[in-house]
Amino acid sequence: MPSETVRVVYTKYDGSAHRDYPARRLSEDDLGIWVGVPRGTASVYHGRPSVEQIPFVLLIPRDSWWTAMFNPPPRTSEVYCDITTPARWEGDTVHIIDLDLDVVRRRESGLVELRDEDEFEEHRVHFGYPEDVVVEAQAAAERLLVALGDGTEPFAAAYRKWLSAVVE
């Protein structure tokens, strides 16, 4: 039986630290594994200690090139998707490589935008992303740009019950 606590470890392509935090396993369904991060959770961000000020829910899909963070107000991003390599599980720790590109849906306007293309291009050269990684990352971003805008689940409402489990 899996543990109730999951350790979420994001690195950059060269293995450098990006994000690292514990999360509570909420559910597993056909969309993936849902974990919740309550306010006050100790974390590491870019190698520095941090504390989460706003709770969130993370969906870690199986075999997909993205993860999705669902946020309550006051965060301006309702949905924030990191383009990543597919998650790799070691027991109750999930390892994810962040590939820089992000697809975000703004809360107030519903605007869906692709972010950090410049960082992706810079790291593509600096870290030597293989061509298959570049193709998969760009394809995932294109699919998410559509899905966040057209009501495709889990981006429409499926996340709301899990988010309510971590919001005080």
Side-chain angles (χ1 to χ4, degrees), residues 1-64:
M1 174 120 184
S3 166
E4 186 177 308
T5 302
V6 170
R7 180 176 173 207
V8 179
V9 179
Y10 283 86
T11 58
K12 288 298 188 175
Y13 196 79
D14 68 346
S16 61
H18 185 51
R19 292 188 307 245
D20 188 335
Y21 53 85
R24 183 169 44 115
R25 186 184 305 264
L26 300 172
S27 182
E28 184 170 352
D29 59 22
D30 60 323
L31 298 169
I33 297 173
W34 297 86
V35 298
V37 179
R39 177 188 339 266
T41 298
S43 63
V44 176
Y45 187 65
H46 293 291
R48 296 189 179 123
S50 182
V51 176
E52 298 299 331
Q53 299 300 312
I54 301 172
F56 63 91
V57 167
L58 182 72
L59 172 60
I60 307 162
R62 288 174 210 77
D63 304 318
S64 291

Side-chain angles (χ1 to χ4, degrees), residues 135-150:
V135 168
E136 291 288 353
Q138 291 172 330
E142 289 300 319
R143 286 190 299 272
L144 287 169
L145 282 166
V146 172
L148 267 67
D150 73 3

Side-chain angles (χ1 to χ4, degrees), residues 25-153:
R25 186 184 305 264
L26 300 172
S27 182
E28 184 170 352
D29 59 22
D30 60 323
L31 298 169
I33 297 173
W34 297 86
V35 298
V37 179
R39 177 188 339 266
T41 298
S43 63
V44 176
Y45 187 65
H46 293 291
R48 296 189 179 123
S50 182
V51 176
E52 298 299 331
Q53 299 300 312
I54 301 172
F56 63 91
V57 167
L58 182 72
L59 172 60
I60 307 162
R62 288 174 210 77
D63 304 318
S64 291
W65 286 75
W66 54 271
T67 59
M69 184 169 66
F70 301 94
N71 303 303
R75 279 224 169 102
T76 58
S77 60
E78 179 182 16
V79 182
Y80 195 104
C81 295
D82 285 297
I83 303 302
T84 67
T85 59
R88 182 178 54 81
W89 288 88
E90 288 181 354
D92 292 316
T93 299
V94 60
H95 298 273
I96 303 162
I97 299 173
D98 182 279
L99 296 173
D100 315 307
L101 293 173
D102 303 304
V103 179
V104 179
R105 183 172 69 214
R106 296 287 166 207
R107 179 175 316 287
E108 294 300 319
S109 66
L111 175 70
V112 177
E113 59 187 341
L114 179 62
R115 299 184 59 202
D116 297 332
E117 292 172 281
D118 54 341
E119 184 181 353
F120 177 76
E121 288 303 321
E122 178 185 320
H123 286 169
R124 174 184 185 173
V125 172
H126 181 74
F127 296 143
Y129 292 171
E131 190 58 28
D132 63 322
V133 169
V134 171
V135 168
E136 291 288 353
Q138 291 172 330
E142 289 300 319
R143 286 190 299 272
L144 287 169
L145 282 166
V146 172
L148 267 67
D150 73 3
T152 299
E153 290 296 359

